[in-house]
Amino acid sequence: IGAENHMPDVMKEKVRKISEPFLNKQIGMEVLIKGLIISAATLGAYWYGLKYGGAGVAQTMAFATFCLGKLFHGFDSRSQMPLIKQGIFTNMWLWVAVLVGMALLHIVLYVPIFHQLFEITPLTYQELGVIYSMSLIPLILIEIMKTYKASSKK
């Protein structure tokens, strides 16, 4: 995120009062909502794993969903502007970081020596599909919220 391009309209934004805290009520509420969305997706993956695979699968799915969800959260944390307007591929370093994070997660999930170290259970491709789906839901929901917020400002 630190390698993000400058925002062309940043100088047109209203200046924050010096007495106003950086983490005001609006930003605090946004952080809370985003955290609840990611938590709900993680719990959804846990529930799926518990129902169809048992406790070990549920814990592994929750771990992987949370990891991927936080990696994908980097995309919607770039700006208050919707990702579509920013440009999805404008920060290649973010893509590198996310891809490296995904590779490391897959190493943990599929290299047997890490199973005992991280106390995880091997997953099927179907379970991995559920993990990716649940991890993308927060990104989609947050982007919808940002799009709605941007359109209501006009």
Side-chain angles (χ1 to χ4, degrees), residues 101-115:
M102 290 169 65
L104 291 172
L105 177 62
H106 282 81
I107 288 170
V108 168
L109 292 176
Y110 291 107
V111 175
I113 195 168
F114 292 110
H115 292 179

Side-chain angles (χ1 to χ4, degrees), residues 120-141:
I120 62 167
T121 302
L123 300 174
T124 65
Y125 289 120
Q126 180 178 350
E127 292 161 345
L128 193 61
V130 170
I131 288 166
Y132 271 91
S133 299
M134 296 303 282
S135 299
L136 286 169
I137 288 172
L139 174 64
I140 294 165
L141 290 177

Side-chain angles (χ1 to χ4, degrees), residues 16-17 19-31 149:
R16 176 181 57 89
K17 294 179 184 174
S19 61
E20 183 181 328
F22 178 73
L23 185 60
N24 60 26
K25 287 181 182 179
Q26 178 187 353
I27 293 173
M29 187 58 80
E30 288 177 15
V31 169
K149 186 177 173 183

Side-chain angles (χ1 to χ4, degrees), residues 31-46:
V31 169
L32 178 66
I33 290 169
K34 290 175 183 181
L36 288 173
I37 292 170
I38 293 170
S39 297
T42 301
L43 288 172
Y46 180 84

Side-chain angles (χ1 to χ4, degrees), residues 44-57:
Y46 180 84
W47 173 83
Y48 180 92
L50 196 58
K51 184 172 181 176
Y52 296 106
V57 170

Side-chain angles (χ1 to χ4, degrees), residues 7-25:
M7 302 301 292
D9 294 337
V10 73
M11 297 306 287
K12 295 178 183 175
E13 291 183 16
K14 186 177 166 185
V15 177
R16 176 181 57 89
K17 294 179 184 174
I18 196 160
S19 61
E20 183 181 328
F22 178 73
L23 185 60
N24 60 26
K25 287 181 182 179

